[in-house]
Amino acid sequence: MRFPPLFRWFLLVLVAALMLPVLAVFSSWGALFSPDGVSLGLLQEMSRTVLPDYLFTTLILCVLVTVGVVVVGLASALAVTVFDFPGRRWLEWALLLPLAMPAYVIAYAYTDFLQFSGPLQVGLRAALGVEGRVFPEVRNVGGAAWVFTFALYPYVYLLARTALGERAGHLLEAARLMGAPLGRRLREVALPLARPAVAAGVALALMETLADFGVSSYFGIQTFTAGIYKAWLAMDNRMAAAQLATLLLIWVAVLLKLEHRAQARMRFSASKGGRQGTQDGAAYRLHGARIGLVWAVCLVPVLMGFVLPVLFMLRPLLLDTNEIPWARFGDWALNSVRLGALTSLLAVGVALALAFNLRRSAHWSGRVAVQLASLGYAIPGAVVVVGLLLPVGWIQEWQPQWQVGYFVTATAFGIVWAYLVRFSAVALQSIQSGYSRVPVSLDESARMLGAGNAALLARVHWPLLRRSVAAAALLVFVDVMKELPVTLVLRPFNSDTLAVVAYQLARDERLGEAALPCLALVLVGLIPVILLSRTLRARA
């Protein structure tokens, strides 16, 4: 069924608006060929000064995070899928809890507890009778890798657990019946099956690492994201920021390609092997000291990534109740909820329009539109900010009376636009998943009964998609609540959010006051984790 031209033009404008930041960032390289040669000289100067530091620091951080998430995520996934031990079901969902913790909240919590004036070093100095530092500084690349490892290992854990749960149980049992010892079964059966899932999880974790601003800025690490904001805000050089953003986007594109290839290999492996499921009878039952070892493997990530950061944040909250701005907390929470609710509503509308168009039209343009819109979540917030502000600056110089800069930076228009660029993909994925469970025969039956596109969507699709739409709105809402880089730059005047306030208070070393907004963000983040855990249990 053909759509009216107005609807097709609307979708074209919509996708163009979502892709504008990427196009604007790449267009910055056209300035290299300008007659004045200023941009070329700028790039050469960056390559001699800051660019090597950004490359080296980012590379080292990515290597450390890769090793950390593979070791922690794969070990915990193997523990809960291959072995059977008391408390296994409880640990399966507990290992997902760090997904509720923004990485910058974990960084604030550990810094408050481990810094020179923190309770650990104060207690150790009193016990040992020394005056200097007794614990190494945590604000460095190693400390950032530690934070990212325990904040992001659930990506590897979740995908590896799913892959092993679907295909490994009976194969491991067959290997055991053939006389293979446990070590050989893990090495030659479980690990090869989990390899595509681990690669996909690592790619997702590294994309989050590259997109982070809160941890790198707070720890003073010279990563690409921190360099982009430094070039734009501190050096007032938008071309340098745009070119750094382009280099960061190339890194992310490589990781996205790796993730897609790994996902394709996972689907191929599943179609070849079939869905077998992991049964308790097929798991290797542990006894004695081995139970304690597996418990340690599973409990350490939960403690480091969720329990201890929450306790570290609760301590200043309970001790410094007089410093907590309770009156202003309501304003911060209201601003966060308002932006989250508005973005959720618009993102769901965008996703429904794109998914419905793809459902009803087999034209190649619909598939391309969905693929382009799906790239948004992989675009770091720093790239989105630069990509939106660049054309705003160009228009402002060309037609200053239009006041484009005012509407983008002083109202909610700019920040909601940036949110949609990033998080429309989240809503689109959820709604497409819902559409995959709606039989196409229902569309044909409705068409034969004379239903148009509007009636089909309202009377047939909507009742079947309500849960998927609600899940999409919830996921976008939570992501908006936790988003820091975009909110920090584009938020309207006098409309600080919980994420921004937590960052500003922590940066000013007022961690007692930062504890309340941080814990509020954690509570909001627990909602999708609980829903995800319930979904995984229903599929088990």
Side-chain angles (χ1 to χ4, degrees), residues 460-482:
V460 178
H461 291 174
W462 175 255
L464 299 174
L465 291 175
R466 282 183 297 185
R467 295 185 63 180
S468 297
V469 169
L474 176 63
L475 292 174
V476 173
F477 178 82
V478 173
D479 280 336
V480 169
M481 292 281 288
K482 296 191 296 184

Side-chain angles (χ1 to χ4, degrees), residues 66-86:
T66 299
V67 174
V69 297
V70 168
V71 171
V72 177
L74 183 57
S76 55
L78 286 171
V80 299
T81 54
V82 176
F83 302 110
D84 183 24
F85 54 93

Side-chain angles (χ1 to χ4, degrees), residues 385-405:
V385 169
V386 174
L388 282 182
L389 293 182
L390 268 181
V392 168
W394 297 334
I395 297 175
Q396 194 72 23
E397 293 176 357
W398 175 47
Q399 293 288 347
Q401 68 273 15
W402 289 0
Q403 296 185 341
V404 176

